[in-house]
Amino acid sequence: IMKTMYGVLLLMLLSVAWLSQAEKLYVVDSMEPKDCTAKMNEMVNKGQKDCSKSNTFIVAKKETLDKFCKGRSGKYSDKITIKNVHCEHKKESKYPDCEYKGHTHSDFYLECGNNKAVGFQHKIN
């Protein structure tokens, strides 16, 4: 019985770790790396009590992502090439004056569900 309980606990922990790798879908019409501080404070940090460590913004129309997902379902099965800006917290800045530096990327894996984009991940481990 103890081995079974440990096995179930391990599976639960692995599931939580895998789910935590996914990032929430933040879609914006336009953005450059220099816009990270403004976007993070407007869309991510609002209502929080600390600076978020990082986040990624997909630069596209939500309809474009949903069109890509039409007929697809599942986690990260297909790579998509669309501009995205990854923002990293500058550790020397403190809440509420959070500052971020940004980097542009183009490839990521999209998670699709019910013909809609629901999440993404940069790399598949």
Side-chain angles (χ1 to χ4, degrees):
I1 292 176
M2 290 301 283
K3 285 183 183 179
T4 303
M5 287 176 53
Y6 284 125
V8 170
L9 181 61
L10 180 62
L11 283 174
M12 287 172 43
L13 289 172
L14 288 173
S15 296
V16 169
W18 187 80
L19 287 173
S20 69
Q21 293 175 1
E23 291 193 44
K24 182 177 176 184
L25 206 57
Y26 286 98
V27 182
V28 295
D29 286 339
S30 65
M31 183 175 175
E32 295 299 327
K34 66 179 176 52
D35 302 324
C36 277
T37 295
K39 288 288 186 193
M40 287 293 291
N41 288 322
E42 171 193 338
M43 298 177 72
V44 181
N45 293 335
K46 198 173 189 174
Q48 295 196 98
K49 297 177 183 170
D50 202 0
C51 301
S52 292
K53 291 181 182 178
S54 68
N55 216 308
T56 301
F57 296 86
I58 298 171
V59 184
K61 300 247 183 258
K62 180 76 165 77
E63 299 81 41
T64 301
L65 301 178
D66 291 345
K67 186 176 180 181
F68 177 84
C69 281
K70 187 121 178 122
R72 291 181 168 98
S73 186
K75 291 192 178 287
Y76 323 116
S77 56
D78 295 300
K79 186 187 287 188
I80 185 170
T81 301
I82 290 181
K83 178 181 174 181
N84 57 89
V85 179
H86 183 72
C87 302
E88 293 277 336
H89 177 238
K90 292 181 181 177
K91 298 197 184 342
E92 63 274 7
S93 71
K94 302 289 181 219
Y95 187 84
D97 300 315
C98 306
E99 292 184 21
Y100 294 85
K101 61 182 173 191
H103 306 281
T104 303
H105 302 280
S106 61
D107 292 338
F108 57 93
Y109 291 85
L110 198 58
E111 177 183 359
C112 301
N114 296 326
N115 293 317
K116 299 214 179 288
V118 296
F120 78 100
Q121 186 173 341
H122 281 285
K123 296 177 185 171
I124 302 298
N125 296 336

